[in-house]
Amino acid sequence: MFAADKPDSRLRAAWLYVLLRTLEYAGPAFIKWGQWAATRPDMFPADICQQLSKLHSQAPAHTFYETRKIIEKAFHLPLDRLFEEFSEKPIASGSIAQVHKAVLRTKGQKPLVVAVKVRHPRVSTVIQRDFVIMNWLARMSTKFSSLEHLQLDKTVQQFATFMTKQVDLTLEAAHLMRFIYNFRQWRNVSFPRPIYPLVHPEVLVETFEEGRSIQDFIDEGPRTKLHSQLARLGSSLLLKMLLSDNFIHGDLHPGNMFVKLGKKVPQLILLDVGMTAELSQRNRYILLELFKALSDKDGARVARCALEFSEDQTCTNPEAFVGDVDNTFKQYLSVRGTSKMGDYIAELFEQVRRYRVNLDGEVCTVMVTVVILEGWQRKLDMSLDIMRMVKELLFKAEWTASFEYVMGAIAAP
């Protein structure tokens, strides 16, 4: 803890490294907590969030013997009755589950290539044990005044909800179906399709999607029309999720986005939809008002919106918070003259953490998603201005004339 309090020092760098390795060795719940904490810059310093974001790496895989046993127990059939081919070596492995490529047996139809997501054995038992430890640590933290503002007891409750969505693979299948329906008219955005009835809390069989990671296009050069199309498509799908559907993919980093090149336009394939965000009508209204304030470059309005997100507000000095955010935005604009929404939100998070402003977890997920998405979009197309796109949508006549009516009327199916 001494090292943790020494910013920009070798001690702190060593402490951050030990923190990362400790979470990796502690097990799935702690790895997932680290991944979740990396998306909460409103609660943790930027260097901690950056370090914990490295936990999105490959996790150890379980054996093929265990995979076979889990699948056969879930569907009450031998593996070779379900699949013509099954790759024993997983193509990916995370802290909760691993993925195998297989060919599904189909009666009188062409064999179907599928991805089989299999939960690690005993992961539920391990996670329950880890939650006992986390809850004890959270209760202990309330005894220390320096840690009270983190509200770790409430944080563990929020994380438990997040973790539930990750562990039950039937929820991920339901999320996929909802996204497929929401984007049914979009030919250039797609998702894997779950293969019912081969959906179980421990096993999810879905269509296998071929494509290149969007990271390949981010890394390559020089920039072409294709890169610009991908950047604008990413912005468009996020704004649709936010403004029209109120159902947002909460983990839109490049590793979860594949590109399939068509004859005319590229197609984006979105993977790993276990983490999603869905805002209450009140928070959704406030968030869109905050985005309007961001597009107007009005720091004071942005700060006031942030204070409205939680009815149990813990801000130490609301007036000073509003003034500081406003001054920071003005200085930021005078020096950089930029219109990057991600930079504005990052600046806001710094002030939120300093003044101990309480943000709703779902709202924070959406804001972090915007930051992450804009970050890789800018690498694809420097001219992209997501704030201008937001402004054009939010300030249309139908939005401004009866905003509350529209907010209530537009809902995801």
Side-chain angles (χ1 to χ4, degrees):
M1 293 307 296
F2 173 77
D5 289 334
K6 301 295 181 183
D8 302 322
S9 70
R10 291 184 179 180
L11 271 177
R12 184 168 175 86
W15 177 81
L16 287 169
Y17 177 82
V18 171
L19 174 66
L20 180 69
R21 294 292 174 251
T22 302
L23 291 174
E24 285 180 338
Y25 283 111
F30 288 93
I31 292 173
K32 278 295 178 183
W33 180 87
Q35 293 175 346
W36 176 83
T39 69
R40 296 306 301 266
D42 58 317
M43 300 175 63
F44 302 101
D47 59 348
I48 291 181
C49 293
Q50 183 178 5
Q51 183 79 338
L52 295 183
S53 68
K54 298 176 183 177
L55 287 166
H56 288 285
S57 58
Q58 286 279 96
H62 60 255
T63 66
F64 175 64
Y65 170 79
E66 289 171 310
T67 291
R68 176 191 289 272
K69 188 165 67 172
I70 292 168
I71 293 173
E72 292 181 347
K73 182 180 177 182
F75 301 131
H76 307 289
L77 282 172
L79 191 71
D80 55 8
R81 288 273 302 277
L82 290 167
F83 304 100
E84 288 190 7
E85 299 176 21
F86 195 98
S87 175
E88 295 187 11
K89 185 178 179 180
I91 56 176
S93 180
S95 58
I96 301 298
Q98 63 191 44
V99 181
H100 294 260
K101 186 176 181 180
V103 178
L104 186 66
R105 288 191 182 277
T106 54
K107 294 182 179 180
Q109 297 179 1
K110 184 179 178 181
L112 180 65
V113 181
V114 294
V116 184
K117 195 169 189 177
V118 184
R119 202 167 72 186
H120 294 311
R122 299 171 296 280
V123 74
S124 294
T125 304
V126 173
I127 287 170
Q128 288 175 7
R129 178 202 65 195
D130 290 347
F131 272 132
V132 171
I133 298 171
M134 287 180 176
N135 279 316
W136 180 81
L137 290 171
R139 287 196 301 271
M140 288 294 293
S141 73
T142 61
K143 309 296 182 183
F144 299 90
S145 58
S146 61
L147 297 176
E148 282 181 346
H149 72 283
L150 292 177
Q151 300 185 62
L152 291 179
D153 51 342
K154 293 183 179 178
T155 298
V156 169
Q157 293 175 10
Q158 290 181 18
F159 173 65
T161 302
F162 160 79
M163 196 67 179
T164 300
K165 294 180 181 179
Q166 298 281 307
V167 172
D168 188 347
L169 298 183
T170 61
L171 285 176
E172 182 170 350
H175 292 166
L176 283 171
M177 292 305 296
R178 186 167 176 181
F179 277 122
I180 289 169
Y181 180 82
N182 288 348
F183 283 86
R184 63 196 182 278
Q185 295 180 336
W186 287 48
R187 294 185 178 181
N188 49 2
V189 176
S190 66
F191 299 81
R193 181 178 293 276
I195 309 297
Y196 287 97
L198 300 180
V199 174
H200 184 274
E202 294 185 82
V203 185
L204 170 59
V205 180
E206 60 187 22
T207 54
F208 186 86
E209 302 297 331
E210 298 277 2
R212 289 175 59 193
S213 171
I214 200 167
Q215 187 66 51
D216 295 344
F217 296 88
I218 294 172
D219 295 339
E220 72 181 13
R223 293 295 177 249
T224 64
K225 181 181 178 181
L226 173 63
H227 294 86
S228 179
Q229 287 177 326
L230 291 173
R232 295 181 187 280
L233 181 55
S235 298
S236 299
L237 70 87
L238 175 64
L239 294 177
K240 172 178 164 51
M241 290 178 186
L242 178 63
L243 303 181
S244 177
D245 303 334
N246 188 25
F247 192 62
I248 302 105
H249 191 309
D251 201 13
L252 282 176
H253 63 82
N256 284 338
M257 305 186 77
F258 280 7
V259 178
K260 184 183 291 185
L261 297 179
K263 294 181 180 180
K264 295 183 179 179
V265 293
Q267 183 182 46
L268 278 181
I269 304 166
L270 276 60
L271 309 173
D272 199 2
V273 300
M275 181 179 172
T276 60
E278 188 172 1
L279 304 179
S280 67
Q281 184 169 339
R282 175 181 176 275
N283 279 346
R284 189 178 178 213
Y285 180 87
I286 297 169
L287 183 65
L288 295 181
E289 285 293 328
L290 182 144
F291 283 166
K292 287 171 69 176
L294 282 170
S295 64
D296 278 345
K297 305 179 180 66
D298 187 339
R301 272 173 59 205
V302 168
R304 284 193 289 269
C305 287
L307 289 169
E308 290 182 40
F309 280 126
S310 176
E311 297 177 0
D312 182 24
Q313 192 50 257
T314 56
C315 180
T316 53
N317 190 335
E319 291 184 5
F321 171 67
V322 172
D324 264 13
V325 171
D326 194 35
N327 289 333
T328 301
F329 272 46
K330 288 176 181 176
Q331 293 172 10
Y332 194 79
L333 285 169
S334 65
V335 173
R336 304 194 188 185
T338 182
S339 60
K340 290 178 66 175
M341 183 176 282
D343 286 347
Y344 291 145
I345 293 176
E347 291 290 331
L348 176 63
F349 278 139
E350 284 296 314
Q351 302 287 3
V352 162
R353 191 172 57 82
R354 188 178 307 163
Y355 282 92
R356 302 182 180 180
V357 176
N358 190 19
L359 287 184
D360 178 84
E362 297 289 326
V363 171
C364 191
T365 296
V366 174
M367 294 172 72
V368 170
T369 298
V370 172
V371 173
I372 293 172
L373 196 66
E374 191 189 48
W376 63 256
Q377 288 170 336
R378 284 275 179 164
K379 293 177 182 178
L380 288 169
D381 184 357
M382 288 295 295
S383 67
L384 181 70
D385 188 349
I386 194 171
M387 290 184 67
R388 180 181 58 79
M389 296 174 68
V390 170
K391 192 169 184 176
E392 288 175 356
L393 286 170
L394 293 183
F395 286 86
K396 284 182 178 179
E398 62 264 31
W399 287 86
T400 54
S402 182
F403 195 69
E404 289 189 22
Y405 171 77
V406 174
M407 290 301 301
I410 298 181

